Amino acid sequence: METTLQVTIDCADPRRLVAFWAEALGYVPEPPPGGHATWCEYWVAMGVPEEEFFDGAGEESESVVDPAGVGPRVWFQQVSEVKAGKNRVHLDLKVGGGREVPLAVRVERVTAKVAGLVAAGASVLRVMDEPGMGHYGVVLQDPEGNEFCVV
């Protein structure tokens, strides 16, 4: 039996996070399954009662997918409660190239990615650059406060 991975992120506004994470990951909004004009139409056809949808839920994509079909699907599940506390699981966006790449090059790559993410709505929490460790990374929050790292 094959196992696949989907990452699910609870949020208040799936559309906002779809736009942000599509940009962050180089993913695309997932189109509704064949024959359905919207995700709402698909969910209703699957038997999900319309009263279970939040305002506007299902009209636009609530997930992003890797256009190359390699990375996991990321679904943004709309919930009514707000985020409270630190994430127990977070995503690492690996753009630096690893320790075999000179530190100065990794810093340049991470810094460029962080600048784009901040322009897309992220906020920087802290920079991880302890002297002598040969590591550089930045901890950020997405537009709803979910922590992630760029390394």
Side-chain angles (χ1 to χ4, degrees):
M1 174 178 181
E2 181 182 341
T3 299
T4 60
L5 174 68
Q6 169 178 286
V7 176
T8 302
I9 299 175
D10 289 352
C11 63
D13 186 353
R15 290 165 295 274
R16 182 177 185 197
L17 291 189
V18 161
F20 175 82
W21 283 102
E23 174 72 24
L25 298 172
Y27 276 30
V28 296
E30 184 178 26
H36 298 283
T38 67
W39 277 96
C40 186
E41 182 182 296
Y42 169 74
W43 292 121
V44 169
M46 294 295 293
V48 177
E50 289 188 57
E51 60 268 12
E52 290 188 20
F53 293 107
F54 287 88
D55 291 338
E59 294 306 314
E60 297 177 34
S61 182
E62 295 175 354
S63 55
V64 294
V65 292
D66 179 354
V70 177
R73 175 183 193 251
V74 183
W75 177 44
F76 302 94
Q77 176 175 292
Q78 190 173 32
V79 296
S80 58
E81 66 273 5
V82 297
K83 180 183 177 294
K86 184 181 181 302
N87 295 6
R88 295 291 303 264
V89 174
H90 70 267
L91 303 178
D92 285 343
L93 306 185
K94 295 182 168 190
V95 301
R99 292 195 181 262
E100 59 276 0
V101 175
L103 180 60
V105 174
R106 286 185 274 141
V107 169
E108 184 179 305
R109 291 174 179 173
V110 168
T111 301
K113 183 68 171 181
V114 167
L117 294 170
V118 167
S123 56
V124 174
L125 291 179
R126 71 181 174 281
V127 175
M128 301 176 293
D129 65 347
E130 294 296 319
M133 291 201 53
H135 174 74
Y136 184 80
V138 179
V139 180
L140 299 102
Q141 289 180 316
D142 74 11
E144 288 202 11
N146 299 299
E147 297 92 2
F148 66 100
C149 297
V150 177
V151 295

